[in-house]
Amino acid sequence: MKIFCHIPREKWFCDRYGDEYKKHSKHEVSFDTITNETEVIWLLASWCWNQIDPRILSLKKVVCTIHHEVPWKFDETRKTNFMMRDQFVDVYHVPCLKTKQFIAQHTEKPIKVLTYWCNDSLFKAFDKTQSKNKFGVPLDKFIIGSFQRDTEGSDLITPKLEKGPDIFVDYVKKVKESGKDVHVLLNGWRRQYVMAGLKKIDVPFTYIELPEMNDVVQMYSALDLYVVGSRVEGGPQSIIECGMTNTPIVSTDVGIASNFLSSNSIFDYENYSVYFPIEEDRIELSSNIKNYLISKQVPKYDSFFEEVK
């Protein structure tokens, strides 16, 4: 079957995800042209839906992926946009049950939960010393990582609260207070809030704004701990990526966290003590990752699109 996959072309996760699906799917996937033969339009980046002529959307089967919705940002304007798009959508796809529970309050359309896959041909572990040297982080420090944007684009000051940058900084502070000599490794757009917070608690950091994907993969191997402090997520992808690179990780109970992480590695951001994952946590994450490898998960997406057709 022929699928048109609409990606944002923002050099973001959705673009990579679309590329990976095209490479591994048994179906014919296009990013450029909707033809008479196109059977399904996949809105992988739901916010770009209005880039497609509504007359075309009304003639095709439309799958819309909602990665997550932020409840306190779901105002009347956002709700109106959701309902306008909803009239063209046949089926929603979400990566986790939490997203399904939220959007089910606003649509009567079917919602399919299919978790993200793990690209084991891209992500792998590297030597820790070599990785620390490559990115210029101290060999004798405890390296904590965070690879996501944390500041609103409107002013580059306001925290993007759903990503929990305040929680991340607080976690780093508690790790420091536990006696660790901490250094933080950051990448991604708009890290102004976290960098300002780290300066306030006197924690040094290294910031590489937009590294190439191969460098992002190796940056995980420079870490002693990755911290997800988010309040709302569809993923995050970092949980999967830590699993494939053998990187210790702790996370709030967002998105797919409970699919992959041990209960010890999940913390309540309103009341927690720092936790340093042990070997049993790493083994559990690695074991769970195997259930979502790209070779197992892409066929499930293929079958889903066939059902939609």
Side-chain angles (χ1 to χ4, degrees), residues 119-150:
N119 187 349
D120 49 319
S121 65
L122 174 61
F123 285 89
K124 60 182 179 180
F126 289 80
D127 178 79
K128 184 175 288 292
T129 298
Q130 290 179 356
S131 299
K132 286 187 174 185
N133 283 333
K134 178 172 182 177
F135 301 111
V137 296
L139 294 176
D140 59 344
K141 304 286 188 179
F142 187 84
I143 310 300
I144 299 177
S146 173
F147 304 158
Q148 62 181 24
R149 68 187 73 180
D150 59 62

Short mmCIF file of all heavy atoms in Angstrom, two decimals, residues 119-150:
data_model
loop_
_atom_site.label_atom_id
_atom_site.label_comp_id
_atom_site.label_asym_id
_atom_site.label_seq_id
_atom_site.Cartn_x
_atom_site.Cartn_y
_atom_site.Cartn_z
N ASN A 119 15.74 1.90 17.51
CA ASN A 119 16.60 1.69 16.35
C ASN A 119 17.97 1.18 16.81
O ASN A 119 18.90 1.96 17.04
CB ASN A 119 16.74 2.98 15.55
CG ASN A 119 17.48 2.75 14.23
OD1 ASN A 119 18.05 1.68 14.01
ND2 ASN A 119 17.46 3.73 13.36
N ASP A 120 18.09 -0.12 16.91
CA ASP A 120 19.32 -0.72 17.41
C ASP A 120 20.45 -0.69 16.38
O ASP A 120 21.59 -1.03 16.71
CB ASP A 120 19.07 -2.16 17.87
CG ASP A 120 18.32 -2.99 16.85
OD1 ASP A 120 17.38 -2.46 16.23
OD2 ASP A 120 18.65 -4.17 16.67
N SER A 121 20.16 -0.27 15.15
CA SER A 121 21.24 -0.11 14.17
C SER A 121 21.90 1.25 14.30
O SER A 121 22.99 1.48 13.77
CB SER A 121 20.70 -0.28 12.74
OG SER A 121 19.78 0.76 12.43
N LEU A 122 21.27 2.19 15.02
CA LEU A 122 21.81 3.53 15.20
C LEU A 122 22.44 3.72 16.58
O LEU A 122 23.55 4.23 16.71
CB LEU A 122 20.71 4.57 14.99
CG LEU A 122 21.06 6.04 15.27
CD1 LEU A 122 22.20 6.50 14.35
CD2 LEU A 122 19.82 6.93 15.10
N PHE A 123 21.72 3.28 17.62
CA PHE A 123 22.17 3.54 18.99
C PHE A 123 22.97 2.35 19.53
O PHE A 123 22.54 1.21 19.45
CB PHE A 123 20.97 3.83 19.90
CG PHE A 123 20.41 5.20 19.68
CD1 PHE A 123 19.42 5.42 18.73
CD2 PHE A 123 20.87 6.29 20.40
CE1 PHE A 123 18.90 6.68 18.50
CE2 PHE A 123 20.36 7.56 20.19
CZ PHE A 123 19.37 7.76 19.24
N LYS A 124 24.12 2.67 20.10
CA LYS A 124 25.00 1.65 20.68
C LYS A 124 25.88 2.33 21.72
O LYS A 124 26.01 3.56 21.76
CB LYS A 124 25.84 0.98 19.60
CG LYS A 124 26.75 1.95 18.85
CD LYS A 124 27.53 1.24 17.75
CE LYS A 124 28.42 2.24 16.99
NZ LYS A 124 29.19 1.57 15.92
N ALA A 125 26.53 1.53 22.54
CA ALA A 125 27.42 2.06 23.57
C ALA A 125 28.83 2.26 23.02
O ALA A 125 29.28 1.50 22.16
CB ALA A 125 27.45 1.12 24.77
N PHE A 126 29.50 3.30 23.54
CA PHE A 126 30.89 3.57 23.21
C PHE A 126 31.73 3.52 24.49
O PHE A 126 31.19 3.51 25.59
CB PHE A 126 31.03 4.96 22.56
CG PHE A 126 30.49 5.07 21.18
CD1 PHE A 126 29.12 5.25 20.96
CD2 PHE A 126 31.33 5.01 20.08
CE1 PHE A 126 28.61 5.36 19.67
CE2 PHE A 126 30.83 5.13 18.79
CZ PHE A 126 29.46 5.30 18.58
N ASP A 127 33.03 3.54 24.33
CA ASP A 127 33.94 3.57 25.48
C ASP A 127 33.72 4.88 26.24
O ASP A 127 33.72 5.97 25.65
CB ASP A 127 35.39 3.47 25.00
CG ASP A 127 36.38 3.56 26.15
OD1 ASP A 127 36.56 2.55 26.84
OD2 ASP A 127 36.93 4.66 26.35
N LYS A 128 33.56 4.79 27.56
CA LYS A 128 33.24 5.97 28.36
C LYS A 128 34.37 7.00 28.37
O LYS A 128 34.13 8.20 28.19
CB LYS A 128 32.89 5.56 29.80
CG LYS A 128 32.46 6.74 30.67
CD LYS A 128 32.01 6.30 32.04
CE LYS A 128 30.67 5.58 31.99
NZ LYS A 128 29.57 6.51 31.63
N THR A 129 35.61 6.55 28.56
CA THR A 129 36.74 7.49 28.60
C THR A 129 36.90 8.21 27.27
O THR A 129 37.06 9.44 27.22
CB THR A 129 38.04 6.76 28.96
OG1 THR A 129 37.91 6.19 30.26
CG2 THR A 129 39.23 7.72 28.95
N GLN A 130 36.82 7.47 26.18
CA GLN A 130 36.93 8.08 24.85
C GLN A 130 35.80 9.08 24.62
O GLN A 130 36.01 10.15 24.03
CB GLN A 130 36.92 7.00 23.78
CG GLN A 130 38.17 6.15 23.74
CD GLN A 130 38.09 5.06 22.67
OE1 GLN A 130 37.08 4.90 22.00
NE2 GLN A 130 39.19 4.31 22.53
N SER A 131 34.61 8.74 25.10
CA SER A 131 33.45 9.61 24.89
C SER A 131 33.58 10.90 25.71
O SER A 131 33.29 11.99 25.22
CB SER A 131 32.16 8.88 25.27
OG SER A 131 31.99 7.73 24.45
N LYS A 132 34.04 10.78 26.95
CA LYS A 132 34.24 11.99 27.76
C LYS A 132 35.30 12.89 27.14
O LYS A 132 35.14 14.12 27.08
CB LYS A 132 34.64 11.60 29.19
CG LYS A 132 33.49 11.04 30.02
CD LYS A 132 33.90 10.84 31.48
CE LYS A 132 32.71 10.43 32.33
NZ LYS A 132 33.03 10.35 33.77
N ASN A 133 36.37 12.28 26.65
CA ASN A 133 37.43 13.07 26.00
C ASN A 133 36.91 13.76 24.75
O ASN A 133 37.24 14.92 24.49
CB ASN A 133 38.62 12.17 25.65
CG ASN A 133 39.48 11.84 26.86
OD1 ASN A 133 39.53 12.59 27.83
ND2 ASN A 133 40.15 10.69 26.82
N LYS A 134 36.11 13.06 23.97
CA LYS A 134 35.62 13.62 22.71
C LYS A 134 34.79 14.88 22.95
O LYS A 134 34.89 15.85 22.18
CB LYS A 134 34.79 12.58 21.96
CG LYS A 134 34.20 13.11 20.65
CD LYS A 134 33.54 12.02 19.83
CE LYS A 134 33.01 12.59 18.52
NZ LYS A 134 32.42 11.54 17.65
N PHE A 135 33.99 14.88 24.01
CA PHE A 135 33.08 16.02 24.24
C PHE A 135 33.61 16.98 25.30
O PHE A 135 32.90 17.90 25.71
CB PHE A 135 31.68 15.50 24.57
CG PHE A 135 31.11 14.65 23.49
CD1 PHE A 135 30.93 13.28 23.67
CD2 PHE A 135 30.79 15.20 22.26
CE1 PHE A 135 30.43 12.49 22.65
CE2 PHE A 135 30.29 14.42 21.23
CZ PHE A 135 30.11 13.05 21.42
N GLY A 136 34.84 16.77 25.72
CA GLY A 136 35.49 17.74 26.59
C GLY A 136 34.93 17.82 28.00
O GLY A 136 34.97 18.88 28.63
N VAL A 137 34.42 16.70 28.52
CA VAL A 137 33.92 16.70 29.89
C VAL A 137 34.96 16.02 30.79
O VAL A 137 35.69 15.13 30.35
CB VAL A 137 32.55 15.99 30.02
CG1 VAL A 137 31.50 16.76 29.23
CG2 VAL A 137 32.62 14.56 29.54
N PRO A 138 35.07 16.45 32.04
CA PRO A 138 36.13 15.94 32.93
C PRO A 138 36.01 14.45 33.20
O PRO A 138 34.91 13.93 33.45
CB PRO A 138 35.92 16.75 34.21
CG PRO A 138 35.12 17.94 33.82
CD PRO A 138 34.25 17.49 32.68
N LEU A 139 37.13 13.77 33.18
CA LEU A 139 37.15 12.33 33.43
C LEU A 139 36.84 12.00 34.88
O LEU A 139 36.32 10.92 35.18
CB LEU A 139 38.52 11.75 33.05
CG LEU A 139 38.90 11.80 31.57
CD1 LEU A 139 40.32 11.28 31.39
CD2 LEU A 139 37.93 10.98 30.73
N ASP A 140 37.15 12.93 35.79
CA ASP A 140 37.01 12.63 37.22
C ASP A 140 35.72 13.17 37.83
O ASP A 140 35.56 13.16 39.05
CB ASP A 140 38.22 13.20 37.98
CG ASP A 140 38.37 14.71 37.80
OD1 ASP A 140 37.76 15.26 36.86
OD2 ASP A 140 39.09 15.32 38.60
N LYS A 141 34.80 13.64 37.00
CA LYS A 141 33.53 14.18 37.50
C LYS A 141 32.40 13.18 37.27
O LYS A 141 32.48 12.27 36.45
CB LYS A 141 33.18 15.48 36.78
CG LYS A 141 34.26 16.56 36.86
CD LYS A 141 34.34 17.20 38.22
CE LYS A 141 35.30 18.40 38.20
NZ LYS A 141 35.40 19.06 39.49
N PHE A 142 31.30 13.38 38.01
CA PHE A 142 30.08 12.61 37.81
C PHE A 142 29.24 13.36 36.78
O PHE A 142 28.75 14.46 37.04
CB PHE A 142 29.32 12.47 39.13
CG PHE A 142 28.13 11.55 39.07
CD1 PHE A 142 28.28 10.17 39.21
CD2 PHE A 142 26.85 12.06 38.87
CE1 PHE A 142 27.19 9.33 39.16
CE2 PHE A 142 25.75 11.21 38.82
CZ PHE A 142 25.91 9.84 38.96
N ILE A 143 29.09 12.78 35.60
CA ILE A 143 28.48 13.48 34.47
C ILE A 143 26.98 13.15 34.38
O ILE A 143 26.59 11.99 34.23
CB ILE A 143 29.16 13.13 33.14
CG1 ILE A 143 30.68 13.26 33.26
CG2 ILE A 143 28.62 14.01 32.02
CD1 ILE A 143 31.17 14.64 33.62
N ILE A 144 26.17 14.19 34.47
CA ILE A 144 24.71 14.07 34.32
C ILE A 144 24.31 14.69 32.99
O ILE A 144 24.77 15.77 32.63
CB ILE A 144 23.97 14.76 35.48
CG1 ILE A 144 24.35 14.14 36.82
CG2 ILE A 144 22.45 14.68 35.27
CD1 ILE A 144 23.71 14.82 38.02
N GLY A 145 23.42 14.02 32.26
CA GLY A 145 23.04 14.50 30.94
C GLY A 145 21.58 14.88 30.81
O GLY A 145 20.71 14.38 31.53
N SER A 146 21.34 15.78 29.86
CA SER A 146 19.98 16.17 29.46
C SER A 146 20.06 16.67 28.03
O SER A 146 20.80 17.61 27.73
CB SER A 146 19.44 17.28 30.38
OG SER A 146 18.19 17.76 29.89
N PHE A 147 19.28 16.03 27.13
CA PHE A 147 19.39 16.32 25.71
C PHE A 147 18.05 16.77 25.12
O PHE A 147 17.57 16.20 24.13
CB PHE A 147 19.90 15.09 24.94
CG PHE A 147 21.22 14.55 25.44
CD1 PHE A 147 21.57 13.23 25.19
CD2 PHE A 147 22.11 15.34 26.14
CE1 PHE A 147 22.79 12.72 25.63
CE2 PHE A 147 23.34 14.83 26.60
CZ PHE A 147 23.68 13.52 26.34
N GLN A 148 17.39 17.75 25.71
CA GLN A 148 16.11 18.23 25.18
C GLN A 148 15.96 19.72 25.48
O GLN A 148 16.57 20.25 26.40
CB GLN A 148 14.95 17.47 25.82
CG GLN A 148 14.84 17.65 27.33
CD GLN A 148 13.69 16.88 27.93
OE1 GLN A 148 13.24 15.89 27.37
NE2 GLN A 148 13.21 17.33 29.07
N ARG A 149 15.14 20.40 24.69
CA ARG A 149 14.92 21.83 24.92
C ARG A 149 14.17 22.03 26.23
O ARG A 149 13.38 21.17 26.65
CB ARG A 149 14.14 22.44 23.76
CG ARG A 149 12.71 21.99 23.61
CD ARG A 149 12.07 22.52 22.34
NE ARG A 149 12.57 21.86 21.16
CZ ARG A 149 12.16 22.13 19.92
NH1 ARG A 149 11.26 23.07 19.71
NH2 ARG A 149 12.67 21.49 18.88
N ASP A 150 14.41 23.17 26.88
CA ASP A 150 13.80 23.39 28.18
C ASP A 150 13.23 24.79 28.36
O ASP A 150 12.68 25.11 29.41
CB ASP A 150 14.82 23.14 29.30
CG ASP A 150 16.05 24.05 29.20
OD1 ASP A 150 15.90 25.27 29.30
OD2 ASP A 150 17.16 23.52 29.04
#
